[in-house]
Amino acid sequence: MDGIENNVKKLLEDIAGGNPFGENVTLVAAVKFQTVQDINRAVSAGITDIGDNHVQEFKEKYASITGNPRRHFIGHLQTNKVKYLIGKTDLYHSVDRFALAEEISKRSENAGIASDVLLQVNIGDEQSKGGFSYEEALKAYKVLLNMPSLNPKGLMAMLPFTDDTALLKKLAAKMRALFEKVKDTDGGAQFLSMGMSGDFRLCIDAGSNMIRLGTSIFGARNYN
Ligand SMILES: *Cc1c(COP(=O)(O)O)cnc(C)c1O
């Protein structure tokens, strides 16, 4: 068996028990820089959801992906590129500002569809990352709820790159607490998308129910 198949099988077994809140955990394969062949391998090995970062890559590979996985967009998204994703994306994870939410809402309305989105929270208050602050997130979520043709489905966060496990656990727990508040406001909120290859176990233990993994499925990325 090749590496990708083994990795997928092990990861799916690893998350099969769900999170401590009794929720299933969805594994989204982060496919940036991966070949169509490797993505299709991962899907045949059991991956049900794939997530892109770059619109150009998404467009180039879109029609060549087999097995009909659900499509996620997980990367920073420029408003002028939303039009290429409308109707082809099952869940937008990275809604990090109102202008983007408005553009997805407007384009969805024009297309006669509704789009599912997550609100991105900059939980580590990092300059390098997008997203609403922890303090403004709940209020912002309510704004999104009132936009036409937009279905907010929960929250997304990226934890800081640090090996300070205590800090990571604290931030992950804060995200879960915020997700509980969101669920009190919005019965439709289902997903807390949090966890990458380096921190997904910690995130699941804190209550994440959707993780986005690249390296642990495909190995180290080749950026060429
Ligand atoms: C690349 C990426 C991931 C996956 O990262 P790995 O560390 O390779 O698992 C997850 N989320 C986002 C937003 C990404 O850009």
Side-chain angles (χ1 to χ4, degrees):
M1 212 187 305
D2 79 18
I4 292 173
E5 288 178 358
N6 255 326
N7 293 343
V8 168
K9 291 212 163 77
K10 273 197 228 137
L11 288 163
L12 290 174
E13 276 168 28
D14 189 20
I15 66 171
N19 72 14
F21 294 80
E23 298 159 347
N24 290 328
V25 175
T26 302
L27 169 56
V28 179
V31 300
K32 56 176 179 274
F33 299 109
Q34 306 303 336
T35 63
V36 165
Q37 189 187 21
D38 283 353
I39 298 167
N40 287 341
R41 266 189 191 162
V43 172
S44 7
I47 288 293
T48 54
D49 294 70
I50 66 173
D52 272 278
N53 277 73
H54 305 112
V55 173
Q56 188 60 33
E57 267 191 72
F58 172 89
K59 279 165 55 181
E60 281 167 14
K61 297 177 198 167
Y62 185 81
S64 312
I65 304 295
T66 54
N68 201 25
R70 279 185 293 272
R71 304 299 185 106
H72 301 246
F73 198 83
I74 63 176
H76 178 73
L77 181 54
Q78 292 171 258
T79 46
N80 63 351
K81 294 195 175 155
V82 167
K83 56 178 178 279
Y84 301 114
L85 302 181
I86 290 296
K88 295 180 169 177
T89 299
D90 296 289
L91 184 62
Y92 299 82
H93 289 229
S94 43
V95 174
D96 56 359
R97 57 201 195 280
F98 288 126
L100 178 58
E102 280 159 6
E103 179 68 9
I104 298 172
S105 168
K106 190 186 83 189
R107 294 269 175 193
S108 301
E109 198 176 17
N110 290 346
I113 59 165
S115 292
D116 290 352
V117 302
L118 302 180
L119 180 127
Q120 184 174 348
V121 181
N122 187 354
I123 191 64
D125 266 329
E126 296 175 277
Q127 291 280 326
S128 59
K129 292 201 173 94
F132 294 89
S133 73
Y134 174 80
E135 289 75 20
E136 69 191 346
L138 190 59
K139 217 173 152 190
Y141 194 91
K142 290 176 184 166
V143 175
L144 266 53
L145 278 174
N146 285 318
M147 290 186 185
S149 305
L150 205 65
N151 288 331
K153 290 283 178 188
L155 303 174
M156 180 269 208
M158 269 185 277
L159 298 181
F161 287 107
T162 169
D163 44 25
D164 183 347
T165 309
L167 174 65
L168 293 173
K169 283 184 179 167
K170 189 184 111 188
L171 295 176
K174 258 179 104 171
M175 278 305 302
R176 179 69 205 198
L178 182 60
F179 181 56
E180 293 296 331
K181 284 191 200 158
V182 164
K183 283 203 298 177
D184 288 343
T185 303
D186 171 21
Q190 293 177 50
F191 303 117
L192 175 56
S193 168
M194 177 173 72
M196 302 172 42
S197 293
D199 60 15
F200 73 90
R201 178 38 60 191
L202 176 157
C203 287
I204 292 172
D205 291 345
S208 167
N209 60 27
M210 185 170 269
I211 56 175
R212 310 172 309 267
L213 306 185
T215 311
S216 34
I217 295 173
F218 300 105
R221 273 182 290 278
N222 176 359
Y223 291 96
N224 295 315

